[in-house]
């Protein structure tokens, strides 16, 4: 590790760049005092080089404290070495507050608890790394909530919200973060630890009289207040969403000299927060959503004041550009259809003790609006599920506009300006005129109830003329919002994006007051320097910038959605941090982060390291970089990010690409040759399944086989089927008839391990009126090969498929695939490796899962009834790339009483959960989050439905339950329809052949064979 700090830009003469810090000595000192984790490696620094903004600054190092004492010790060590400090939560800031040449203190991994919650006092004491929704969920048990709820509520931290003075949808109901902070425990750079809050005159005098550093701070704060009180009252805009600048009004006598509130929004430039006492407000248990459609977003803005008279608890707005962007990205297509007619919409939420009460409030508004000549289109939602869908449309604003197919990339920079609600409509009109004058395109949306406007703009931040134009726009945009008496920032803070324009908003006297306020707390200027006070320009430290010229390596995948460039693909992540959620909800991403809470195990962290790998500084070695490999090691390749990430980062593909180059000319791990080559091993085993099973099932031999294959000893070795599905199918009488043909894909797992599933699918497809065909040639999609980057071999297998199925592809014959991960290859990898091959594109379009096929190609098929309860787990590729809608439609037609828990990825993820060491541990922890407890809690007669091989193995190896594929459940229904009434069908835990698990384990009979395969595959 280099002991000096490499800076991407030239050091600033004012000392903001800290390349002179002895990083190696500081690291040693920290490791001597800090119980938590001290990380100064180049990969660790690269992980924290940027946030959700346009900016990039490589830190000195990272500390992950276990407790408040660790934070105090970290700051003390940094003080001795003269190193700047930056406390950070979820790292989602959009103005550059969370990146700096400093020691980053990441509070999110360990300091994330609720210390206490007093429902009677309506207060909670929390640590700064707690995720907002963790607090809100706990408070909701008492019908309370923390009112500010930005769209990042399921992964942002309270500490970050305090730093930015965050707001959100329900700030209309309960105010900004500053309004909901009662007290803070803080530590200064010079080591003073104290609690601050509202201070009476008597207490203020007592503190000053006590002397010491605390008394000095309070005395200087009082003097600052007295000196600038008139200017504070005169210059601060009286609008609901003023977030820019320090919160000096909170020091005024009329506001109770509230030091805690004065520090909210200071962006870690003054103190570090160790603990916060928060206010909790009443949360109405019943909610009603009213959506209003207007001719345009400007007219919607004009009517905000009218709506506010009726006291909604949320009032949001969006324009038609946002909706069009969502359509182009395929985001929430069914949700968008719920909107009433219009080109600009207001989402108005009312709360009440009962649904009748909240509905009544909404109907009063509707009646009032109907009486007006320019009444909007209206739609009242009473279904909570539909309300949730509409809110998803609004919350997806950033992701919907960041990377739109066929459009320029968009960036933050002017994403949260705010005015008075009465001025919103006219401000939006003038803002659009300014965009048009500069030739910029964007969508407009935001917290219209408080006149805060969000947008991402297609700035050119990669050429000097484009950057100059960007800076000129910011000058004019700041003039525009200030002409309305507004604020540069209404939610995301100043950071680096807007801080240089603060003198326009506050004037020279208050800028001097800001400097003095910071100096009172941080006289050495080491707390997050260069932000708010003495700031960098908005066009410095850009993440890309005029000199961004990444290498363009030759790759296996073609990245058609990223202009064929792997470098551009690594730039796709915008840092919003949606992958840092701890709850799945109805999504998958990101299972390894949910287990480890490590930034490097999030999609964002991995994407950032890949970007830094292309950048080459601070991490080098290109494709051979160990930091990147380590970050990708726990990626389960679940493809959750491709489906759930707002900008569709495709980490499974990036991982496969990286490993293909990383292992070029090298031996891969033994599991790559055992489980990765399962297709070939299974073909051998199918000739002598009894021998293969003897080797894998005999206790001593099984132990040896697992050790040789790199498999965790805790896993059970499965059995090969006594007869493959293809052998069974070949012995059936040939039926030539007029029924339309369908190809049933005999994937490696259902062919060799689950033949009963494929047989059941034949019964279902024939019952649906189709003639089933199975390829005679041995074929495989190569799904396991991608996990180890064996892309040459994978491409060869796909080429064999295209050659063999060319007649069926040309004839448009549908292909039904039973294993979701195999269909994912046809839908995803195939067209990424062969984007210009017409047969590849056609095959991707005419391949279906069984449920998809029945819904889209056999709509007249009468789905058999199956009475009972079922727990359904969707394979992660199924949920991420295809969606579960068709599966649910078929289940509903069967009449099953089913539940689909929010279980995310099961954790097995192909061979991942079979590998010994950390993979097995993560696999089990991922499964135990939701899925496995949910399975164990079901009644014995409940069907456990899981279509994926890995999901079925995870369930069966860790519970006492057996699983069924949808095809088996359907076949069971068909069988029962033809049975006499007194004959019972097969039980859900049924008499089917024992399911089997992974690849090639039973075939590894000796070290000699394994080494032979290594040599054969090394090339």
């Amino acid at each position: 590790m280099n002991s000096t700090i490499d800076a991407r830009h030239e050091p600033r003469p004012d000392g903001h760049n800290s390349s002179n810090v002895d990083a190696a000595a500081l690291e040693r000192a920290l490791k001597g005092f800090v119980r938590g984790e001290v990380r100064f490696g180049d990969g660790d620094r690269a992980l924290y080089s940027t946030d959700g903004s346009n900016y990039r600054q490589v830190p000195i190092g990272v500390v992950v404290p276990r407790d408040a004492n660790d934070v105090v010790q970290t700051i003390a060590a940094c003080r001795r070495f003269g190193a700047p400090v930056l406390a950070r939560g979820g790292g989602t800031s959009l103005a550059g507050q969370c990146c700096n040449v400093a020691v980053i203190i990441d509070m999110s991994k360990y300091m994330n608890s609720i210390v206490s919650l007093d429902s009677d006092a309506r207060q909670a004491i929390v640590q700064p790394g707690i995720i907002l929704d963790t607090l809100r969920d706990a408070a909701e048990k008492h019908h309370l909530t923390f009112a500010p709820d930005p769209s990042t509520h399921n992964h942002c931290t309270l500490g970050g919200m305090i730093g930015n003075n965050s707001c959100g949808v329900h700030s209309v109901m309960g105010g900004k973060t500053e309004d909901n902070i009662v007290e803070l425990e803080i530590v200064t750079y010079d080591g003073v630890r104290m609690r601050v809050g509202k201070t009476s005159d008597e207490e203020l005098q007592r503190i000053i009289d006590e002397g010491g550093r605390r008394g000095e701070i309070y005395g200087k704060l009082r003097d600052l207040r007295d000196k600038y009180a008139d200017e504070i009252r005169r210059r601060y805009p009286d609008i609901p969403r003023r977030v820019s600048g320090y919160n000096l009004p909170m020091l005024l006598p009329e506001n109770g000299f509230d030091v805690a509130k004065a520090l909210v929004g200071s962006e870690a430039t003054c103190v570090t927060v160790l603990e916060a006492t928060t206010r909790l407000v009443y949360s109405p248990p019943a909610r009603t959503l009213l959506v209003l459609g207007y001719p345009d977003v400007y007219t919607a803005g004009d009517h905000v004041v009218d709506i506010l008279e009726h006291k909604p608890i949320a009032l949001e707005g969006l324009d038609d550009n946002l909706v069009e962007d969502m359509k182009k990205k395929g985001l929430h297509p069914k949700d968008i259809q719920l909107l009433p007619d219009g080109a600009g919409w207001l989402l108005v939420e009312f709360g009440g003790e009962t649904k009748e009460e909240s509905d009544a409030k909404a109907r009063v508004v509707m009646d009032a609006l109907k009486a007006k000549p320019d009444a909007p289109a209206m739609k009242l939602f009473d279904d909570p599920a539909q309300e949730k869908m509409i809110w998803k449309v609004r919350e997806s604003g950033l992701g919907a506009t960041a990377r739109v197919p066929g459009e320029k990339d968009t960036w933050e920079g002017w994403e949260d300006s705010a005015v008075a609600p009465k001025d919103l409509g006219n401000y939006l009109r003038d803002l659009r005129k300014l965009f048009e004058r500069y030739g910029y395109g964007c969508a407009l949306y935001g917290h219209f109830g408080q006149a805060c406007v969000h947008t991402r703009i297609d700035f050119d931040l990669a050429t000097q003329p484009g950057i100059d134009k960007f800076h000129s726009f910011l000058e004019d945009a700041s003039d525009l919002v200030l002409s309305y008496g507004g604020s540069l920032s209404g939610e995301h803070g100043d950071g680096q994006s807007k801080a240089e324009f603060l003198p326009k908003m506050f004037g020279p006297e208050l800028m001097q007051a800001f400097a003095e306020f910071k100096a009172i707390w941080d006289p050495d200027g080491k707390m997050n320097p260069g932000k708010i006070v003495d700031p960098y320009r908005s066009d410095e430290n850009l993440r890309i910038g005029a000199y961004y010229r990444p290498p363009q390596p030759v790759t296996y995948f073609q990245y058609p959605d990223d202009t064929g460039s792997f470098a551009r693909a690594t730039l796709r992540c915008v840092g919003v941090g949606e992958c840092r959620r701890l709850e799945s909800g109805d999504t998958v991403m990101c299972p390894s982060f949910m287990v480890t809470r490590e930034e490097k195990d999030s999609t964002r962290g991995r994407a950032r390291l890949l970007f830094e790998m292309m950048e080459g500084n601070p991490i080098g070695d290109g494709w051979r970089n160990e930091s990147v490999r380590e970050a990708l090691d726990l990626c389960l390749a679940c493809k959750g990010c491709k489906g759930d990430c707002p900008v569709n980062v495709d980490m499974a593909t990036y991982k496969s690409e990286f490993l293909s180059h990383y292992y070029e000319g090298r031996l891969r791990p033994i599991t790559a040759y055992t489980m990765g080559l399962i297709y070939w091993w299974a073909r051998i085993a199918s000739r002598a399944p009894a021998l293969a099973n003897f080797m894998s099932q005999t206790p001593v031999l099984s132990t040896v086989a697992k050790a040789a294959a790199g498999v965790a000893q805790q896993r059970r070795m499965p059995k090969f089927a006594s007869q493959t599905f293809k052998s069974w199918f070949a012995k059936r009488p040939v039926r030539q008839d007029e029924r339309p043909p369908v190809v049933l894909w005999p994937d490696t797992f259902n062919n060799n391990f689950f033949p009963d599933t494929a047989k059941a699918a034949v019964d279902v497809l024939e019952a649906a009126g189709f003639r089933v065909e199975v390829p005679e040639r041995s074929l495989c999609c190569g799904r396991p090969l991608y996990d180890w980057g064996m892309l040459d071999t994978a491409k060869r297998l796909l080429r064999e498929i295209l050659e063999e199925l060319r007649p069926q592809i040309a004839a448009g014959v549908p292909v039904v695939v039973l294993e979701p991960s195999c269909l994912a290859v046809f839908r995803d990898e195939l067209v990424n490796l062969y984007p210009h091959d017409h047969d590849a594109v056609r095959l991707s379009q005419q391949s279906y899962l069984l449920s998809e096929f029945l819904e889209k190609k056999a709509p007249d098929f009468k789905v058999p009834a199956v009475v009972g309860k079922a727990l359904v787990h969707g394979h992660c590729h199924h949920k991420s790339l295809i969606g579960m809608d068709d599966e649910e439609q078929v289940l509903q037609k069967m009449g099953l009483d089913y539940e689909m828990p929010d279980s995310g990825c099961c954790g097995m993820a192909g061979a991942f959960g079979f590998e010994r060491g950390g993979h097995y541990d993560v696999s089990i922890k991922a499964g135990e989050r939701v899925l496995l407890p949910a399975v164990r809690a079901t009644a014995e007669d409940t069907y456990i439905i899981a279509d994926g091989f890995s999901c079925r193995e995870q369930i069966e190896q860790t519970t006492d339950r057996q699983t069924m594929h949808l095809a088996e459940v359907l076949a069971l229904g068909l069988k029962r329809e033809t049975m006499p009434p007194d004959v019972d069908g097969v039980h859900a835990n049924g008499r089917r052949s024992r399911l089997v698990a992974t690849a090639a384990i039973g075939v590894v009979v000796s070290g000699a064979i394994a080494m032979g395969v290594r040599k054969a595959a090394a090339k």
Side-chain angles (χ1 to χ4, degrees):
M1 186 202 75
N2 293 329
S3 60
T4 58
I5 303 304
D6 297 315
R8 186 178 183 203
H9 299 276
E10 291 298 318
R12 287 168 55 107
D14 56 10
H16 281 168
N17 187 289
S18 299
S19 58
N20 57 341
V21 172
D22 188 342
L26 174 57
E27 179 186 13
R28 288 193 298 270
L30 286 166
K31 286 182 176 179
F33 293 100
V34 174
R35 292 177 54 247
E37 293 146 26
V38 178
R39 303 170 177 175
F40 274 50
D42 290 340
D44 300 306
R45 296 166 55 221
L47 271 174
Y48 291 83
S49 62
T50 188
D51 48 15
S53 71
N54 299 333
Y55 302 102
R56 174 185 181 271
Q57 291 176 281
V58 180
I60 298 168
V62 180
V63 174
V64 183
R66 286 192 174 272
D67 52 30
N69 187 61
D70 268 1
V71 177
V72 173
Q73 293 291 343
T74 297
I75 294 173
C78 289
R79 183 169 65 251
R80 291 198 300 274
F81 285 85
V85 171
L86 167 56
R88 166 169 151 149
T92 61
S93 294
L94 285 167
Q97 302 97 318
C98 284
C99 54
N100 214 324
V101 183
V103 172
I104 305 290
I105 304 176
D106 183 351
M107 309 275 198
S108 64
K109 184 176 181 180
Y110 298 118
M111 295 181 64
N112 50 42
S113 300
I114 298 174
V115 178
S116 65
L117 194 155
D118 186 337
S119 59
D120 293 332
R122 295 191 174 186
Q123 289 185 358
I125 300 176
V126 299
Q127 293 180 312
I130 190 172
I131 290 176
L132 172 59
D133 272 2
T134 303
L135 173 60
R136 293 173 71 215
D137 291 345
E140 281 291 351
K141 296 174 182 178
H142 308 281
H143 299 300
L144 300 172
T145 192
F146 186 82
D149 55 343
S151 60
T152 53
H153 55 82
N154 60 4
H155 58 281
C156 70
T157 67
L158 259 292
M161 294 180 67
I162 291 167
N164 287 358
N165 197 5
S166 298
C167 307
V169 171
H170 291 97
S171 294
V172 169
M173 176 179 73
K176 305 188 290 291
T177 296
E178 68 180 71
D179 302 308
N180 294 278
I181 294 299
V182 178
E183 191 174 75
L184 296 176
E185 183 182 359
I186 60 169
V187 61
T188 64
Y189 188 77
D190 55 3
V192 178
R193 184 172 176 177
M194 57 180 161
R195 303 192 78 89
V196 297
K198 185 172 287 191
T199 317
S200 67
D201 291 342
E202 295 77 12
E203 185 182 5
L204 174 58
Q205 189 60 54
R206 179 183 57 79
I207 293 171
I208 296 172
D209 290 344
E210 285 176 353
R213 179 73 172 112
R214 185 180 184 224
E216 175 191 345
I217 289 172
Y218 271 73
K220 289 183 176 180
L221 289 174
R222 182 187 62 182
D223 293 344
L224 180 140
R225 175 201 67 183
D226 294 342
K227 179 179 178 181
Y228 294 104
D230 291 341
E231 189 70 359
I232 291 170
R233 295 185 181 100
R234 187 174 73 87
R235 290 299 297 254
Y236 274 77
D238 185 17
I239 59 175
R241 283 294 191 95
R242 190 280 311 157
V243 170
S244 280
Y246 286 134
N247 253 344
L248 300 187
M250 293 299 105
L251 296 178
L252 295 174
E254 56 265 36
N255 293 322
F257 198 81
D258 197 323
V259 179
K261 288 180 169 57
L263 287 169
V264 173
S266 57
E267 301 180 4
T269 62
C270 297
V271 300
T272 296
V273 175
L274 301 175
E275 196 173 86
T277 302
T278 70
R279 178 182 77 144
L280 302 175
V281 300
Y282 176 68
S283 178
R287 308 287 174 100
T288 295
L289 178 64
L290 171 64
V291 182
L292 307 175
Y294 293 89
D296 51 56
V297 72
Y298 321 111
T299 306
D302 291 335
H303 287 79
V304 161
V305 174
D306 296 336
I307 306 300
L308 286 173
E309 293 176 357
H310 296 274
K311 307 297 183 185
I313 62 172
L315 177 51
E316 302 289 291
L318 55 136
D319 73 356
D320 54 336
N321 289 333
L322 178 63
V323 171
E324 286 303 312
D325 287 345
M326 287 188 175
K327 289 179 180 177
K328 291 175 184 176
K329 294 189 70 171
L331 282 174
H332 312 301
K334 293 184 178 180
D335 308 358
I336 293 170
Q337 295 172 11
L338 296 173
L339 294 172
D341 292 339
W345 294 269
L346 293 179
L347 280 56
V348 193
E349 186 178 62
F350 293 94
E353 283 291 324
T354 64
K355 188 67 173 172
E356 290 75 18
E357 180 184 346
S358 60
D359 280 355
K361 292 177 181 179
R363 294 188 189 282
V364 168
V365 176
M366 295 175 71
D367 291 341
L369 292 175
K370 287 175 183 177
K372 295 180 179 290
D374 54 353
M378 305 180 205
K379 197 165 185 180
L380 181 66
F381 291 88
D382 274 322
D383 182 352
Q386 288 188 334
E387 292 178 15
K388 182 179 178 182
M389 292 163 70
I390 292 293
W391 283 120
K392 276 187 180 179
V393 172
R394 165 58 190 89
E395 289 184 357
S396 298
L398 189 156
T401 58
R403 278 289 185 94
V404 181
E407 304 291 341
K408 299 177 184 177
D409 291 348
T410 61
W411 306 90
E412 66 91 3
W414 195 250
E415 78 293 330
D416 68 327
S417 56
V419 295
K422 66 180 178 60
D423 296 323
L424 179 59
N426 288 332
Y427 173 63
L428 290 172
R429 292 180 179 91
D430 287 342
L431 187 58
R432 179 61 74 187
K433 290 176 185 175
L434 183 63
F435 291 142
E436 292 171 351
R437 178 154 64 88
Y438 275 87
Y440 288 143
C442 64
L444 297 170
Y445 59 100
H447 309 295
F448 280 17
Q450 294 185 319
C452 179
V453 181
H454 290 321
T455 184
R456 289 181 67 90
I457 306 166
D458 56 357
F459 299 123
D460 168 13
L461 299 179
T463 69
Q464 194 57 53
I467 294 169
D468 292 342
K469 180 180 174 183
F470 157 73
H471 192 266
S472 176
F473 169 82
L474 294 183
E475 290 277 9
D476 289 345
S478 58
D479 290 339
L480 174 61
V481 73
L482 296 178
S483 73
Y484 278 92
S487 177
L488 304 174
S489 172
E491 180 158 33
H492 299 145
D494 301 312
Q496 186 173 343
S497 287
K498 305 181 186 72
E500 73 165 294
F501 306 110
L502 289 175
K504 292 184 181 183
M505 180 173 173
F506 291 103
E509 284 191 62
L510 286 184
M511 292 309 299
Q512 178 59 33
F514 290 171
E516 293 177 18
F517 183 77
K518 176 176 171 61
I520 290 170
W521 296 103
D522 178 31
D524 294 328
K526 297 296 185 179
M527 301 293 283
N528 203 11
K531 311 299 161 85
I532 301 183
V533 170
D534 191 17
Y536 294 100
R537 282 167 52 100
S538 57
D539 55 359
E540 290 183 275
N541 300 322
L542 290 172
R543 182 179 176 190
I544 47 178
Y547 298 102
Y548 176 66
R549 296 292 183 272
Q552 299 294 338
V554 176
T555 57
Y556 288 92
F557 290 104
Q558 299 302 297
Y559 305 100
D561 294 332
D562 290 293
T563 65
S565 168
F566 180 76
R568 178 174 163 79
T570 67
L571 190 59
R572 179 173 282 270
C573 174
V574 295
V576 70
E578 191 73 10
C579 48
R580 288 176 54 92
R581 295 169 304 188
L582 296 181
E583 300 296 332
S584 298
D586 55 358
T587 56
V588 178
M589 178 180 73
C590 179
S592 51
F593 177 81
M594 292 178 187
V595 170
T596 69
R597 296 183 78 140
E598 286 279 2
E599 177 70 18
K600 73 179 178 65
D601 295 327
S602 69
T603 302
R604 182 180 73 179
R606 295 174 179 129
R608 186 155 296 156
L609 282 177
L610 287 166
F611 170 84
E612 295 290 343
M613 179 189 80
M614 303 301 289
E615 182 76 358
N617 177 19
I619 59 176
D621 302 327
W623 296 115
R624 295 298 177 94
N625 185 268
E626 285 299 321
S627 296
V628 178
R629 186 200 63 76
E630 290 172 7
L632 292 171
D633 183 57
L634 292 186
C635 171
L636 283 74
C638 66
K639 294 185 182 289
C641 48
K642 181 155 189 179
D644 302 340
C645 170
V647 289
N648 310 114
V649 168
D650 186 3
M651 194 51 60
T653 295
Y654 307 163
K655 174 183 179 179
S656 189
E657 184 75 61
F658 174 84
L659 292 179
S660 70
H661 300 281
Y662 177 86
Y663 284 117
E664 188 173 341
R666 293 175 166 180
L667 288 176
R668 289 172 165 82
I670 184 62
T671 47
Y673 306 117
T674 55
M675 290 180 271
L677 301 180
I678 176 60
Y679 166 56
W680 290 274
W681 288 119
R683 290 178 65 185
I684 297 171
S686 68
R687 297 189 178 97
L691 175 61
N693 289 333
F694 175 77
M695 299 299 299
S696 65
Q697 300 303 304
T698 305
V700 175
L701 293 179
S702 173
T703 300
V704 173
K706 285 188 281 190
V711 173
Q713 290 295 333
Q714 299 94 322
R715 289 298 183 187
R716 184 172 61 242
M717 300 285 278
K719 296 178 182 178
F720 285 86
S722 59
Q723 181 188 41
T724 67
F725 164 70
K726 289 187 67 174
S727 297
W728 171 84
F729 190 84
K731 295 176 181 178
R732 298 181 85 215
V734 178
R735 302 178 185 180
Q736 296 295 340
D737 53 44
E738 298 303 315
R739 291 179 298 172
V742 59
V743 173
L744 180 61
W745 178 253
D747 64 88
T748 296
F749 301 108
N750 283 308
N751 183 43
N752 293 283
F753 300 121
F754 298 168
D756 287 353
T757 296
K759 294 174 188 176
V762 172
D763 291 342
V764 173
L765 292 171
E766 289 183 343
F770 291 86
R771 186 180 76 252
V772 178
E773 299 177 355
V774 175
E776 293 184 11
R777 181 178 175 183
S778 182
L779 299 171
C780 179
C781 71
R783 171 77 266 163
L785 298 171
Y786 297 94
D787 294 339
W788 288 277
M790 296 176 163
L791 297 184
D792 277 324
T793 305
K795 290 187 70 173
R796 178 167 60 81
L797 291 179
L798 290 177
R799 179 51 59 191
E800 290 176 358
I801 292 170
L802 294 175
E803 291 171 357
E804 179 68 17
L805 296 186
R806 183 166 287 117
Q808 290 93 335
I809 293 172
V813 176
V815 178
V816 172
V817 183
L818 300 174
E819 171 60 44
S821 63
C822 294
L823 181 65
V825 172
F826 292 161
R827 293 277 180 90
D828 192 6
E829 282 88 356
L830 176 63
V831 291
N832 200 335
L833 291 166
Y834 295 107
H836 307 298
D837 186 303
H838 296 303
D839 284 339
V841 174
R842 283 195 287 262
L843 178 57
S844 73
Q845 294 172 344
Q846 62 196 66
S847 299
Y848 306 88
L849 288 177
L850 179 61
S851 56
E852 274 190 300
F853 178 80
L854 294 177
E855 285 297 297
K856 293 179 171 63
K857 295 295 181 179
D860 297 330
F861 172 54
K862 186 178 182 299
V863 175
V866 178
V867 178
K869 292 187 177 183
L871 184 146
V872 182
H873 172 73
H875 188 284
C876 48
H877 292 177
H878 190 166
K879 290 186 280 191
S880 301
L881 298 181
I882 302 151
M884 298 294 291
D885 289 351
D886 293 317
E887 197 91 353
E888 293 201 64
Q889 287 294 323
V890 172
L891 292 167
Q892 290 168 11
K893 289 178 180 178
M894 280 193 284
L896 274 173
D897 178 11
Y898 71 92
E899 63 171 318
M900 194 175 294
D902 296 335
S903 49
C905 178
C906 73
M908 186 66 88
F912 181 93
F914 275 89
E915 295 182 77
R916 61 188 169 215
H919 287 201
Y920 171 80
D921 294 337
V922 169
S923 169
I924 294 298
K925 289 177 181 177
E928 292 291 353
R929 286 184 52 259
V930 176
L931 174 63
L932 301 180
V935 170
R936 297 185 192 110
T938 60
E940 282 294 318
D941 59 352
T942 300
Y943 297 94
I944 309 298
I945 302 175
D947 290 352
F949 155 75
S950 54
C951 311
R952 297 166 81 174
E953 273 306 308
Q954 180 77 308
I955 293 170
E956 296 204 6
Q957 293 215 14
T958 54
T959 73
D960 62 353
R961 306 299 300 278
Q962 286 190 321
T963 61
M964 299 182 76
H965 190 285
L966 178 68
E968 294 175 292
V969 181
L970 286 165
L972 174 63
L974 292 172
K975 184 177 180 180
R976 284 178 171 171
E977 286 183 348
T978 61
M979 279 182 177
D982 59 337
V983 179
D984 189 21
V986 181
H987 187 268
N989 283 336
R991 295 180 292 271
R992 61 179 177 83
S993 59
R994 179 81 182 112
L995 293 181
V996 287
T998 139
I1001 302 169
V1003 222
V1004 184
V1005 295
S1006 70
I1009 293 178
M1011 288 306 298
V1013 177
R1014 274 178 178 261
K1015 292 177 181 178
K1019 61 184 180 180

